[in-house]
Amino acid sequence: QAHLVESGGGLAQAGDSLRLSCTGSGRTLRSYAMGWFRQAPGKEREVVAAINWKPDSSYYADSVKGRFTISRENARNTYTVHLQMNNLTPEDTAVYYCSAAPFLASYGQGTSQIDYWGQGTQVTVSS
């Protein structure tokens, strides 16, 4: 079992930066990839970025490449993933969900292979 808790998010203006963090507990996460999805009103949940357990490999959605950076810190039974979001646009407005899956490749399969979810944190970007 694992438990994910997000922090960060909030209100921003276009061009601003925000940083999301997610702290996961549970020995399972030691070998799991972790990442972020987002869901805007009326849209499907989509992957944003993910990072493997080592961490030495990451994945980004095309829409955030060059603007968002994912990082990960592994400690004893505590695993923290950060999402640094720069040059935000109104299109980044969504609820952002932390997640964990067995493999980094799992994030290429939509939500079907995600085992754990955080409660979500709202990011709102105004123009």
Side-chain angles (χ1 to χ4, degrees):
Q1 283 294 336
H3 186 56
L4 305 176
V5 179
E6 298 115 335
S7 61
L11 301 175
Q13 293 188 331
D16 283 353
S17 298
L18 284 175
R19 180 179 170 93
L20 304 181
S21 296
C22 170
T23 298
S25 57
R27 194 173 299 177
T28 299
L29 295 180
R30 178 179 179 182
S31 62
Y32 265 47
M34 295 178 70
W36 295 89
F37 282 76
R38 67 186 181 187
Q39 188 166 20
K43 294 188 178 181
E44 293 186 354
R45 193 171 296 191
E46 62 176 6
V47 65
V48 176
I51 191 166
N52 68 349
W53 66 273
K54 292 185 177 182
D56 62 1
S57 184
S58 57
Y59 167 83
Y60 294 93
D62 288 342
S63 59
V64 306
K65 282 181 181 177
R67 300 189 298 122
F68 291 11
T69 303
I70 191 169
S71 59
R72 176 172 177 157
E73 301 164 5
N74 295 329
R76 185 175 183 180
N77 290 334
T78 300
Y79 309 92
T80 302
V81 61
H82 304 287
L83 185 68
Q84 179 65 41
M85 306 185 293
N86 297 331
N87 194 21
L88 287 162
T89 73
E91 288 69 37
D92 296 316
T93 295
V95 177
Y96 283 71
Y97 295 91
C98 182
S99 60
F103 311 103
L104 184 60
S106 303
Y107 285 84
Q109 307 300 319
T111 61
S112 63
Q113 296 186 14
I114 305 302
D115 286 348
Y116 302 104
W117 293 97
Q119 78 282 2
T121 186
Q122 177 71 46
V123 172
T124 302
V125 184
S126 61
S127 58

